[in-house]
Amino acid sequence: MSAHAGRADIAGARDGETAARAVELAYIAVAAIVLLLMMLFGLTMRATQAQYLDVQPRLFYVLLTMHGAGMVGIAGVAGAVVMWHFVRRHVPVSTTVFLANLVLFLIGAVLILGSGFIGGFAGAWTFLYPLPAHSNGVWSANAAAAYMLGLLVIGVGFLLLHLDVLRGIWRTYGSLANGLGLKQAIGLAPEKTGPPPAVPAATMASIVNVLGIVIGAVVLILSLVNLYVPSFTMSALVAKNLIYFFGHVFINATIYMAVIAVYEILPLYAHHRWNTNRLFYAAWVASTVMVLIVYPHHLLMDFAMPPWALVVGQIISYLSGLPVLLVTAFGALTVVHRSGLRWDVPSGLCFVGVLGWAAGVIPAIADGTIVVNSVMHNTQWVPGHFHTYLLLGTVAMFLGYMTWTAKEVPHETIGTEPAAFWLYVGGGIIFVVAFLAAGSASVPRRYAVHLAPWLTYDRIGSLGALLVVLGVGIMVVQFLVRVPALARLPTTTTAQPLPEAAAE
Amino acid sequence: MTRGFLPLLAFVIATGLASLGFATSGFRVITTEGARRLAVEHHPRAVPDVVLVDQDGKRFTFSTYRGKALLVEFIYTSCPTICGVLGDDFGHVLATLRQDGGTSGVDLLSISFDPARDGPPALRSYAGRFGASAPGWRIAVPATREGLRALLKSFGVVVIPDRFGGFTHDAAVYLLDGQGRLVRILDAGPPATLLAEAAHAVS
Amino acid sequence: MPRLAAAAILWFGLWLPPLRSGLESDMALHMTVQIPLLALVGILIAPEVRRFEPRWLAEADWLGIPGIVLVLFSTSYWMLPVALDSALGDWRMEVAKFVSLPLLVGVPLGLSWQRMPPLGRLFVIANIISKVGALGGLYLAAPIRLCAYYRLDQQAEAGSALLAVTTAAILGAFLASFFGWSWRRPFPDAWKGRRAVATAADASPSLPT
Ligand code: HEM
């Protein structure tokens, strides 16, 4: 901790706003670059399944592991910068801690990449116990340990960040319940006194992530011990439940963080505030409560439970995000409706993000219903579902925030290409539909080598992926070239210029 | 950062790591069992030459076995669980030894830590159960309480009463080399592994 | 002074044979009652120790970090099965346990906690919860005996007890933060429904710290 504190002194000496801006830009740049790199890994995998490329299965599984872990981590980083940027307007948060998280993320990323590309670790990003310890010689215990240590380091960073956000909310609003708007939700206080929309979202994301990381750390420590002292075992079922809880919570939290971009950016275009009515707060409270109910369900899945409890748990687990999704989709539509909003790339991306999130939930609900589950689970239906709401949801919202930030450079000669937007959206739809179609044709997930009848899906999917990579590539490059100018911008005005005032 | 912070932190971390490292024999073991095995492996130890009584009522000491490897296990004959497994394991070792002609220079010894119940008759019936016969495989009990205590201490055997009038104890096999030193603590297991280790110890 | 007296009574009480052998005969009691109580002895005497703490030490204990690191090391030490065994098998290690838990866990905790910023405290709590949970999981599921002095069933019980402590700690931390509980104002505003803290904060974005 000493190192961070040292930086605090430096950061304190400099202008706080400039420092915060610099760290935000670093976050966006890191997220953008890693995102693009991981997309290239994804494209390589899809093209291998399509037999356009000849990648050996061993490398394929390393790529699968790296893509999974890298994407989940970078979605966290992307969500974190959106959350931090907006929540910082309302509660005190520490720039040092924010920076520490990025540094720890990079250290963890190096460990993870090393475990895969040097150590050959390919136990999938979920490192399901006891697989990491049983590689049949494909990777060593050290490689698996480097991977888990990497996750642990990244977890520590996010734990610090979320605790800091919670601390700020606790201090400003008196309690986390107030941060969620519980009083407004149950009618104890007028709607107008509720927190701005960024705050309930940040509260929910941080609560669930802190719990998820604490649980994740437990399994990671246990798995690490098991690697080196194999006689220490644990129940594989309990381990699985803990890991999945941690994984699901973390990946779902990315969207609760990224959605803040929608709450804050779309209204700027439409010239009126996001409607934080009672229903809005109630939805955030409900979603939080539902995730927390699912919590013991995951922990106890191992014990004999009556079937109805399992079914209810399963349904709640899939529906926990639904209240928030509904108020967000509805809110986005009301903001946009008859507002005379001028569409451009950032506003378009934010809107696509909401649609992608909504679209991604439908296959999840289908998958969650037990009957379908036994048919579709472990087919490409599952990557189809989560790529929809991650690639076209979380990532779209992040790209919206990124391009919106880039617009601040005045008199910019190159604007963000609408062509990039369409490449990304169009390619993304083709890509996820190819997964979903393959899934309903029972093509299994996580297979390096595909049978001839599956190739059509794979080839269409690869094409879509290629378009996505091109579109996102253009946006990322256009952002990166503006970073120096953005870093030099005076940061006295935290209020963002309205779109009319900005480039166009 | 204040003055003295970094030195203090460094001091705390250094002493902390040192004591953890000391307790875990250099971060290699976290259980007493692990520590014991590692210690014996690195520093073979002499065992006290106490007097024991075997199933035929004969007295003998460890020095009887000089020049041979000796596999030792600790049991009590009324044990309903693990001692049966141990007995079976030694039975298999004996069978293997006989197959090889019985001249491999390895002897077996089962020591009871329950002198109150295990007199020669009890030892004899245990021997009969698993086909043990002196001198190749003795079932014995230390002649005195002091002898028993000294033996348990030097072998590092911990015996604790269970809730059913018996004992919980470890199921390890102890290997003494030709000079009567404890050189290895092994898991009870396939005869071949035990005999390989034993052959290694005499040579 | 009543604190000192309480600490002394607690310490001697724990040392007396009935309580000592009673608590130590069971692994769960040993880990979840005796060890924490010994640390509590140190926490109780910390305010008295503070008066004798040299200035340089108080200064060097910046943000309470060295102190908390010391606590983490000492608690890790007494979580090792081999350390527990050594205290049971060797009276000198038993004395070391009775001295080190108050002095190297309780006292530094009492002294350094006050110096820690809120984020540091939250982090330490989260960290300890994970560690105790992991230990509980290990003990619950380990198929071999880790302590030479405890039976397998006692070990599993100790695991369950540690997991119960973890669950209670998570629940407690969650409820406290959710309803804004604090030592100084035990009855949070959250339920009075009067102070509209939110609007004030909304109007003037507070500067980052
Ligand atoms: C151009 C964009 C992308 C491409 C081409 C791509 C491609 C792929 C492919 C081919 C797979 C393996 C599917 C299978 O199991 O057969 C996969 C898995 C996965 N992807 Fe992506 N992906 C992309 C974007 C994303 C994004 C944005 C995220 C998250 C933010 C993500 C997260 C994952 C995860 C978590 C897995 C599961 C890994 C596993 O099964 O262990 N991907 N992706």
Side-chain angles (χ1 to χ4, degrees), chain A residues 63-77:
Chain A
L63 286 176
L64 181 67
T65 306
M66 296 298 121
H67 175 81
M71 278 299 190
V72 172
I74 212 63
V77 170

PDB file of all heavy atoms in Angstrom, chain A residues 63-77:
ATOM      1  N   LEU A  63      -5.988 -19.436 -26.387  1.00  0.00           N
ATOM      2  CA  LEU A  63      -6.673 -18.225 -26.849  1.00  0.00           C
ATOM      3  C   LEU A  63      -8.045 -18.104 -26.189  1.00  0.00           C
ATOM      4  O   LEU A  63      -8.461 -17.023 -25.768  1.00  0.00           O
ATOM      5  CB  LEU A  63      -6.839 -18.248 -28.372  1.00  0.00           C
ATOM      6  CG  LEU A  63      -5.577 -17.986 -29.186  1.00  0.00           C
ATOM      7  CD1 LEU A  63      -5.875 -18.149 -30.670  1.00  0.00           C
ATOM      8  CD2 LEU A  63      -5.041 -16.590 -28.916  1.00  0.00           C
ATOM      9  N   LEU A  64      -8.757 -19.220 -26.063  1.00  0.00           N
ATOM     10  CA  LEU A  64     -10.089 -19.199 -25.458  1.00  0.00           C
ATOM     11  C   LEU A  64      -9.989 -18.713 -24.009  1.00  0.00           C
ATOM     12  O   LEU A  64     -10.776 -17.881 -23.555  1.00  0.00           O
ATOM     13  CB  LEU A  64     -10.707 -20.595 -25.525  1.00  0.00           C
ATOM     14  CG  LEU A  64     -12.128 -20.739 -24.958  1.00  0.00           C
ATOM     15  CD1 LEU A  64     -13.120 -19.964 -25.811  1.00  0.00           C
ATOM     16  CD2 LEU A  64     -12.550 -22.202 -24.895  1.00  0.00           C
ATOM     17  N   THR A  65      -8.982 -19.242 -23.303  1.00  0.00           N
ATOM     18  CA  THR A  65      -8.799 -18.857 -21.903  1.00  0.00           C
ATOM     19  C   THR A  65      -8.447 -17.378 -21.795  1.00  0.00           C
ATOM     20  O   THR A  65      -9.023 -16.640 -20.989  1.00  0.00           O
ATOM     21  CB  THR A  65      -7.683 -19.705 -21.272  1.00  0.00           C
ATOM     22  OG1 THR A  65      -7.999 -21.086 -21.468  1.00  0.00           O
ATOM     23  CG2 THR A  65      -7.534 -19.414 -19.809  1.00  0.00           C
ATOM     24  N   MET A  66      -7.521 -16.948 -22.642  1.00  0.00           N
ATOM     25  CA  MET A  66      -7.075 -15.553 -22.593  1.00  0.00           C
ATOM     26  C   MET A  66      -8.201 -14.613 -23.002  1.00  0.00           C
ATOM     27  O   MET A  66      -8.411 -13.565 -22.401  1.00  0.00           O
ATOM     28  CB  MET A  66      -5.872 -15.350 -23.527  1.00  0.00           C
ATOM     29  CG  MET A  66      -4.649 -16.135 -23.122  1.00  0.00           C
ATOM     30  SD  MET A  66      -4.054 -15.634 -21.505  1.00  0.00           S
ATOM     31  CE  MET A  66      -4.135 -17.164 -20.617  1.00  0.00           C
ATOM     32  N   HIS A  67      -8.929 -14.988 -24.059  1.00  0.00           N
ATOM     33  CA  HIS A  67     -10.045 -14.159 -24.527  1.00  0.00           C
ATOM     34  C   HIS A  67     -11.091 -14.014 -23.423  1.00  0.00           C
ATOM     35  O   HIS A  67     -11.557 -12.912 -23.135  1.00  0.00           O
ATOM     36  CB  HIS A  67     -10.654 -14.803 -25.779  1.00  0.00           C
ATOM     37  CG  HIS A  67     -11.889 -14.130 -26.293  1.00  0.00           C
ATOM     38  ND1 HIS A  67     -11.845 -13.002 -27.076  1.00  0.00           N
ATOM     39  CD2 HIS A  67     -13.198 -14.440 -26.151  1.00  0.00           C
ATOM     40  CE1 HIS A  67     -13.084 -12.647 -27.397  1.00  0.00           C
ATOM     41  NE2 HIS A  67     -13.926 -13.497 -26.843  1.00  0.00           N
ATOM     42  N   GLY A  68     -11.447 -15.140 -22.797  1.00  0.00           N
ATOM     43  CA  GLY A  68     -12.457 -15.098 -21.735  1.00  0.00           C
ATOM     44  C   GLY A  68     -12.007 -14.214 -20.587  1.00  0.00           C
ATOM     45  O   GLY A  68     -12.687 -13.254 -20.211  1.00  0.00           O
ATOM     46  N   ALA A  69     -10.822 -14.512 -20.047  1.00  0.00           N
ATOM     47  CA  ALA A  69     -10.344 -13.753 -18.891  1.00  0.00           C
ATOM     48  C   ALA A  69     -10.111 -12.294 -19.272  1.00  0.00           C
ATOM     49  O   ALA A  69     -10.492 -11.378 -18.548  1.00  0.00           O
ATOM     50  CB  ALA A  69      -9.051 -14.365 -18.359  1.00  0.00           C
ATOM     51  N   GLY A  70      -9.489 -12.084 -20.438  1.00  0.00           N
ATOM     52  CA  GLY A  70      -9.170 -10.719 -20.856  1.00  0.00           C
ATOM     53  C   GLY A  70     -10.420  -9.888 -21.077  1.00  0.00           C
ATOM     54  O   GLY A  70     -10.494  -8.736 -20.646  1.00  0.00           O
ATOM     55  N   MET A  71     -11.421 -10.460 -21.729  1.00  0.00           N
ATOM     56  CA  MET A  71     -12.640  -9.711 -22.008  1.00  0.00           C
ATOM     57  C   MET A  71     -13.393  -9.386 -20.723  1.00  0.00           C
ATOM     58  O   MET A  71     -13.887  -8.278 -20.548  1.00  0.00           O
ATOM     59  CB  MET A  71     -13.546 -10.511 -22.944  1.00  0.00           C
ATOM     60  CG  MET A  71     -13.160 -10.389 -24.398  1.00  0.00           C
ATOM     61  SD  MET A  71     -13.280  -8.676 -24.948  1.00  0.00           S
ATOM     62  CE  MET A  71     -13.088  -8.883 -26.715  1.00  0.00           C
ATOM     63  N   VAL A  72     -13.484 -10.367 -19.826  1.00  0.00           N
ATOM     64  CA  VAL A  72     -14.205 -10.111 -18.587  1.00  0.00           C
ATOM     65  C   VAL A  72     -13.482  -9.013 -17.798  1.00  0.00           C
ATOM     66  O   VAL A  72     -14.104  -8.074 -17.296  1.00  0.00           O
ATOM     67  CB  VAL A  72     -14.331 -11.408 -17.760  1.00  0.00           C
ATOM     68  CG1 VAL A  72     -14.891 -11.113 -16.390  1.00  0.00           C
ATOM     69  CG2 VAL A  72     -15.215 -12.403 -18.491  1.00  0.00           C
ATOM     70  N   GLY A  73     -12.150  -9.128 -17.734  1.00  0.00           N
ATOM     71  CA  GLY A  73     -11.387  -8.120 -17.004  1.00  0.00           C
ATOM     72  C   GLY A  73     -11.521  -6.738 -17.638  1.00  0.00           C
ATOM     73  O   GLY A  73     -11.741  -5.750 -16.941  1.00  0.00           O
ATOM     74  N   ILE A  74     -11.426  -6.697 -18.957  1.00  0.00           N
ATOM     75  CA  ILE A  74     -11.430  -5.390 -19.607  1.00  0.00           C
ATOM     76  C   ILE A  74     -12.831  -4.788 -19.591  1.00  0.00           C
ATOM     77  O   ILE A  74     -12.986  -3.568 -19.536  1.00  0.00           O
ATOM     78  CB  ILE A  74     -10.853  -5.477 -21.039  1.00  0.00           C
ATOM     79  CG1 ILE A  74     -10.156  -4.157 -21.355  1.00  0.00           C
ATOM     80  CG2 ILE A  74     -11.910  -5.740 -22.094  1.00  0.00           C
ATOM     81  CD1 ILE A  74      -9.000  -3.845 -20.480  1.00  0.00           C
ATOM     82  N   ALA A  75     -13.845  -5.637 -19.595  1.00  0.00           N
ATOM     83  CA  ALA A  75     -15.196  -5.101 -19.432  1.00  0.00           C
ATOM     84  C   ALA A  75     -15.296  -4.441 -18.058  1.00  0.00           C
ATOM     85  O   ALA A  75     -15.938  -3.395 -17.901  1.00  0.00           O
ATOM     86  CB  ALA A  75     -16.232  -6.208 -19.579  1.00  0.00           C
ATOM     87  N   GLY A  76     -14.622  -5.041 -17.062  1.00  0.00           N
ATOM     88  CA  GLY A  76     -14.596  -4.433 -15.733  1.00  0.00           C
ATOM     89  C   GLY A  76     -13.900  -3.084 -15.755  1.00  0.00           C
ATOM     90  O   GLY A  76     -14.401  -2.106 -15.192  1.00  0.00           O
ATOM     91  N   VAL A  77     -12.766  -3.007 -16.434  1.00  0.00           N
ATOM     92  CA  VAL A  77     -12.027  -1.747 -16.515  1.00  0.00           C
ATOM     93  C   VAL A  77     -12.864  -0.687 -17.235  1.00  0.00           C
ATOM     94  O   VAL A  77     -12.967   0.461 -16.797  1.00  0.00           O
ATOM     95  CB  VAL A  77     -10.682  -1.959 -17.233  1.00  0.00           C
ATOM     96  CG1 VAL A  77     -10.015  -0.628 -17.529  1.00  0.00           C
ATOM     97  CG2 VAL A  77      -9.767  -2.826 -16.392  1.00  0.00           C
TER      98      VAL A  77
END
